[in-house]
């Protein structure tokens, strides 16, 4: 699949002055334009873990998939600590099904004071610790891509004591079938004493996108020593396919690179023969190859049944997002009419 990517437009994608921008999920609206749902939080806070306490999901628009995208509105703002998603909304993934727009996302809350610039907020801050433990997956629904959005007052996928997802659920990757049923791949962590364990993937099913959602396996989809994040899945005639970020590079051969996996049932996954789905070394339309600090939260825009654009969150850092000064959502066009390595998409 890596060989089918075209140069990325330098002037494309979505960024905002004064904000860290992340995630990125696109849909063609009823107005014929392309609407990008993304996460943002103020640069007054550190990029990581500022998102845990002040991220909000926003919508931007463009006349073409590549962008550039122009900010339109805050879609899911903070709504109070008493709500499960009252202090942070993150990880948006937008799906159009029938006449409805379905916005899956991660939400969190905490009962402590709001962080402000210079107050020492960081990974060891109680606000961060509580917000991380409160991460859950939710759903908002609208008849229009511009809203209004109906948010639920409870998550659609909560944690389960004693299981691999006892600590948190996040990174929702839904696949909506024609009948409205859903296969939902998600990221999870479990309690190990008073702290959390390693990141794992789980799978849940619902007969309808409104739920209820039922976890399909008592074990994670990949072994505990396989460190993956940011799943994205789609259905093919043979079953399902998946993109994810390989945190250590043990599967795809590149740290923070993308892996490509296949499954007949959504539960049993095999890594492809050419596992590198995409590289952090990106060719831009000025002819220069640049190694990005990140290429995360991969998302395919499908048009007429084929993936036409890869969206990803990226940064200008050299050590992931730890030394980044800018983050944004970038778009990479995918060559059409060529032999693709993605099964079911040729």
């Amino acid at each position: 699949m890596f060989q089918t990517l075209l140069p990325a437009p330098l002037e494309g994608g979505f960024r905002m002055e004064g904000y860290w921008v992340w995630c990125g999920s696109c849909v063609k609206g009823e107005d014929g334009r392309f609407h990008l749902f993304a996460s943002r939080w103020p640069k007054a806070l550190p990029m990581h873990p500022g998102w845990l306490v002040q991220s909000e999901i926003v919508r931007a628009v463009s006349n073409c998939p590549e962008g550039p995208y122009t900010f339109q509105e805050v879609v899911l703002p903070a709504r109070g600590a008493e709500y499960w998603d009252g202090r942070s909304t993150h990880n948006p993934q937008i799906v159009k099904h029938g006449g409805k727009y379905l916005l899956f996302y991660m939400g969190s809350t905490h009962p402590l004071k709001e962080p402000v610039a210079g107050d020492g907020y960081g990974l060891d801050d109680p606000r961060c610790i509580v917000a991380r433990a409160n991460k859950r997956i939710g759903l908002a629904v609208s008849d229009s891509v511009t809203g209004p959005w109906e948010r639920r007052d409870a998550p659609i996928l909560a944690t389960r004591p004693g299981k691999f997802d006892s600590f948190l659920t996040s990174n929702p990757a839904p696949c909506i079938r024609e009948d409205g049923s859903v296969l939902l791949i998600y990221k999870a962590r479990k309690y190990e004493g008073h702290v959390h364990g390693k990141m794992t993937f789980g799978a849940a099913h619902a007969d309808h996108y409104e739920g209820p959602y039922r976890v399909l396996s008592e074990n994670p989809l990949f072994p505990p020593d396989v460190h993956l994040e940011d799943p994205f899945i789609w259905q093919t005639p043979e079953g399902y396919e998946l993109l994810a970020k390989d945190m250590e590079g043990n599967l795809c051969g590149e740290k923070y690179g993308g892996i490509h996996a296949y499954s007949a049932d959504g539960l049993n996954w095999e890594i492809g023969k050419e596992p590198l789905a995409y590289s952090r070394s990106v060719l831009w339309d000025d002819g220069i190859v640049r190694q990005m600090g990140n290429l995360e939260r991969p998302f395919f825009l499908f048009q007429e049944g084929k993936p036409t654009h890869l969206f990803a969150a990226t940064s200008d850092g050299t050590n992931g997002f730890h030394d980044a000064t800018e983050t944004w959502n970038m778009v990479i066009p995918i060559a059409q009419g060529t032999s693709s390595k993605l099964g079911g998409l040729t």
Side-chain angles (χ1 to χ4, degrees):
M1 181 264 171
F2 178 53
Q3 294 178 355
T4 71
L5 299 181
L6 298 174
L10 280 169
E11 301 302 320
F14 173 56
R15 63 180 77 206
M16 291 192 72
E17 186 73 25
Y19 289 93
W20 304 109
V21 175
W22 209 242
C23 303
S25 178
C26 184
V27 68
K28 191 173 185 179
E30 64 268 29
D31 58 0
R33 298 187 297 171
F34 294 88
H35 297 256
L36 183 69
F37 291 76
S39 302
R40 75 169 191 184
W41 57 103
K43 279 194 167 182
L45 295 183
M47 190 275 175
H48 179 63
W51 60 275
L52 271 167
V53 291
Q54 284 195 0
S55 177
E56 56 188 5
I57 293 173
V58 300
R59 181 177 61 86
V61 69
S62 172
N63 290 326
C64 64
E66 293 85 357
Y69 285 82
T70 302
F71 171 76
Q72 299 294 295
E73 63 174 342
V74 177
V75 176
L76 298 182
R79 58 173 178 165
E82 68 270 29
Y83 292 96
W84 70 272
D85 60 349
R87 304 296 286 272
S88 175
T89 58
H90 198 66
N91 294 152
Q93 187 145 158
I94 186 71
V95 181
K96 187 176 184 181
H97 177 75
K100 299 287 187 179
Y101 291 89
L102 314 176
L103 182 58
F104 293 80
Y105 66 101
M106 182 281 293
S108 184
T109 190
H110 66 84
L112 306 173
K113 67 178 183 179
E114 196 77 23
V116 295
D119 74 354
Y121 173 77
L123 287 169
D124 295 327
D125 192 292
R127 293 164 292 189
C128 175
I129 295 170
V130 174
R132 187 187 299 278
N134 280 330
K135 290 169 64 178
R136 304 290 185 269
I137 291 173
L139 172 67
V141 179
S142 176
D143 293 328
S144 169
V145 73
T146 61
W149 295 90
E150 181 185 348
R151 293 164 72 165
R152 276 60 179 159
D153 291 337
I156 62 169
L157 194 65
T159 54
R160 301 181 301 155
K163 307 297 184 181
F164 69 86
D165 49 8
S166 60
F167 187 79
L168 62 79
T169 64
S170 67
N171 287 179
C175 180
I176 314 295
R177 305 180 183 94
E178 288 187 10
D179 63 0
S181 65
V182 184
L183 173 67
L184 181 70
I185 306 298
Y186 63 99
K187 187 178 82 174
R189 281 181 163 177
K190 70 175 181 178
Y191 268 102
E192 293 184 357
H194 297 293
V195 296
H196 56 73
K198 295 181 178 180
M199 298 175 187
T200 56
F201 285 173
H205 173 268
D207 291 333
H208 189 270
Y209 56 77
E210 293 280 7
Y213 286 78
R214 176 178 60 87
V215 177
L216 295 175
S217 174
E218 294 305 311
N219 298 308
L221 301 184
F222 294 90
D225 60 343
V226 175
H227 189 177
L228 301 176
E229 288 196 52
D230 298 345
F232 175 79
I233 65 166
W234 66 98
Q235 192 169 18
T236 73
E238 293 76 28
Y240 301 91
E241 299 191 27
L242 172 145
L243 297 180
K245 184 180 72 167
D246 188 348
M247 292 292 291
E248 306 300 334
N250 296 331
L251 295 178
C252 74
E254 179 184 315
K255 186 178 178 67
Y256 301 153
I259 66 118
H260 180 208
Y262 304 79
S263 175
D265 57 7
L267 289 175
N268 301 287
W269 292 88
E270 295 182 4
I271 305 301
K273 293 181 180 180
E274 298 184 45
L276 183 64
Y278 59 83
S279 170
R280 286 190 295 133
S281 294
V282 175
L283 173 63
W284 295 82
D285 63 2
D286 63 356
I288 297 176
V289 175
R290 299 175 175 88
Q291 180 162 305
M292 312 308 294
N294 303 79
L295 215 65
E296 302 189 9
R297 297 294 297 160
F299 174 88
F300 276 147
L301 173 66
F302 280 83
Q303 298 187 84
E304 298 181 358
K306 294 186 177 183
T308 61
H309 297 79
L310 172 65
F311 290 74
T314 193
S315 75
D316 63 355
T318 60
N319 182 26
F321 43 65
H322 299 288
D323 62 347
T325 62
E326 297 290 337
T327 65
W328 68 99
N329 287 320
M330 62 177 294
V331 187
I332 306 177
I334 300 172
Q336 303 298 305
T338 60
S339 177
S340 170
K341 297 177 184 177
L342 295 176
L345 298 177
T346 55

